[in-house]
Amino acid sequence: MKVWINGELVDKSQASVSVYDHGLLYGDGVFEGIRVYNGKIFQCDAHIDRLFASAAAIRLKVPYTKEQIVDAMEQSVSANGIVDGYIRLVITRGVGTLGLNPFKCPSPVVFVIADQIAIYSPEMYENGLDVIIAKTRRISPEMFPPSVKSCNYLNNIMAKIEAIDAGVPEAIMLNAAGQVAEATGDNVFIVSDGVIITPPVEAGILDGITRRVTIKLAKELNIPLIERAIEVDELYNADECFLTGTAAEIIAVRKVNDRVIGEGKAGPITLKLLEAFRNFIRSECGG
Ligand code: PMP
C-alpha cells in the first residue's frame, strides 16, 4: 500500500512523521474522512473546503493548493486500486520544539491514506443501531469551534469508550445545555410526526457533509425538515432516529439507552432518505 506524504507516494512502511510533530505531541492538526465510490471522490470540493476552513481556523497555512491536494488524493486512490473505499487526509502542524508555540513549526506535514473501509452490515441498515447517550458532553463552541475537524478527538473518544463499555457501537453526545448534539463521528436526526428535525450547527456540532446532503435530499423529497435544538425526551419519543456520516452514510437508530425508538427498526423516512442518498452517490460518482 502506498501513502502520499508531502508530495511523494511512499510505501506504507516508509510513511512516517516525527515524534516532534505537534500533530502527535498536541493533536495540533486537521483532517478529513472522505469516501471513494466507483473510483471517484465523493463530495470532493465540500471536503477540501472544510479542510481549508479548519486549517484557517487554527491558523495553519496549508502548504499546497486545493488542486494539489485533490491531485494527491487521486494519486493515492489510483496507486492503491481503490474502487470503493475511504481517504484519510491529514495536515499536522509539523515538527517543532517541545513547547506549544505552533509558529515554531515551519513545515506542516500533509498525508493521504487511501484504504478499504469497514462498513455496517446490510442488516444494521434495516434493523438500526443501538446507541447510548454518553455522559461525556460535547465541547462547547465557546471553548473550541466544533466546526473545526481537528486531530484532537479525545472528547469524542471518551464518549466512544462509554459506548463500547455499554456494548453498543455508538454514543450520542449532548451539548453543555443538555440538548442533543451529535454522535461521536456522525450527525443526529429525528423524525417526529412526519417532520425531520436535526440540531443546528450552533448546537455545537460538526457541519457534516453527509448531513448537508441529507438536508438537501429531504427538501427535494418534500419532507419537512427543521434545524432546531432537540431535547433528550424528544429523542426518546421520536418516531425515527438516524445518524449521518461519511462512513455510516444514513443509518437508523433502534434503541437509545433502554428506550426503543419508533417501531424498533429503520423507519420509512430513514429508508427513503437512504435510497435517495444511494441514488445521489450514483448520480455523482456513477457505478
Ligand atoms: N460529527 C463528527 C464529530 C464527525 O467526526 C463526523 C465525521 N467525520 C460527522 C459528524 C459527520 O460528518 P461527515 O458527514 O462530514 O462525515
Side-chain angles (χ1 to χ4, degrees):
M1 223 191 82
K2 299 280 187 199
V3 173
W4 188 100
I5 179 160
N6 278 357
E8 273 182 283
L9 272 174
V10 301
D11 199 71
K12 179 181 172 180
S13 60
Q14 305 297 313
S16 57
V17 295
S18 165
V19 292
Y20 283 84
D21 192 305
H22 280 209
L24 177 62
L25 291 175
Y26 297 116
D28 185 351
V30 292
F31 77 101
E32 281 295 317
I34 307 168
R35 276 299 268 273
V36 177
Y37 294 105
N38 194 36
K40 308 232 166 49
I41 300 166
F42 181 61
Q43 291 287 294
C44 186
D45 291 349
H47 283 285
I48 293 286
D49 289 348
R50 189 171 67 182
L51 179 79
F52 275 70
S54 293
I58 66 161
R59 295 182 55 194
L60 170 60
K61 196 170 172 324
V62 184
Y64 296 98
T65 62
K66 290 184 177 179
E67 291 72 26
Q68 286 172 317
I69 303 270
V70 174
D71 186 54
M73 291 199 286
E74 282 169 350
Q75 283 183 41
S76 310
V77 167
S78 82
N80 293 294
I82 303 295
V83 179
D84 292 304
Y86 182 84
I87 297 171
R88 175 56 55 88
L89 167 57
V90 184
I91 310 180
T92 74
R93 190 75 69 172
V95 169
T97 61
L98 292 179
L100 283 176
N101 188 346
F103 304 120
K104 289 194 172 161
C105 308
S107 314
V109 173
V110 181
F111 60 88
V112 180
I113 305 170
D115 208 335
Q116 305 303 325
I117 180 166
I119 44 176
Y120 291 125
S121 67
E123 295 76 57
M124 285 178 120
Y125 284 90
E126 274 166 42
N127 299 335
L129 300 177
D130 293 353
V131 307
I132 56 157
I133 295 179
K135 291 188 183 68
T136 308
R137 296 275 175 103
R138 194 73 177 89
I139 288 172
S140 303
E142 297 79 26
M143 299 172 188
F144 185 75
S147 55
V148 175
K149 203 161 162 55
S150 88
C151 290
N152 196 322
Y153 252 55
L154 275 169
N155 176 235
N156 306 51
I157 289 167
M158 293 317 291
K160 187 79 174 183
I161 289 173
E162 289 186 50
I164 295 163
D165 283 349
V168 296
E170 253 305 341
I172 289 176
M173 303 176 78
L174 307 180
N175 60 22
Q179 292 159 331
V180 173
E182 61 184 339
T184 66
D186 297 301
N187 292 111
V188 179
F189 290 71
I190 62 169
V191 180
S192 193
D193 294 329
V195 179
I196 304 172
I197 310 164
T198 194
V201 170
E202 297 73 44
I205 60 170
L206 183 76
D207 182 4
I209 288 163
T210 320
R211 174 184 182 276
R212 291 185 210 161
V213 172
T214 304
I215 291 172
K216 179 176 108 71
L217 294 172
K219 288 193 175 138
E220 284 172 15
L221 290 166
N222 287 321
I223 308 171
L225 183 146
I226 45 177
E227 294 181 55
R228 65 154 175 81
I230 299 174
E231 304 296 336
V232 172
D233 260 2
E234 284 182 280
L235 169 63
Y236 283 146
N237 294 312
D239 301 322
E240 300 179 37
C241 172
F242 61 89
L243 309 180
T244 66
T246 291
E249 299 181 330
I250 296 177
I251 191 155
V253 169
R254 175 172 67 179
K255 242 178 164 190
V256 178
N257 293 339
D258 289 330
R259 300 282 295 259
V260 174
I261 305 300
E263 304 282 305
K265 61 180 169 72
I269 291 181
T270 306
L271 290 175
K272 209 170 180 179
L273 283 168
L274 178 59
E275 191 195 356
F277 186 71
R278 299 228 161 115
N279 289 337
F280 180 73
I281 292 166
R282 269 190 292 279
S283 73
E284 294 270 294
C285 301

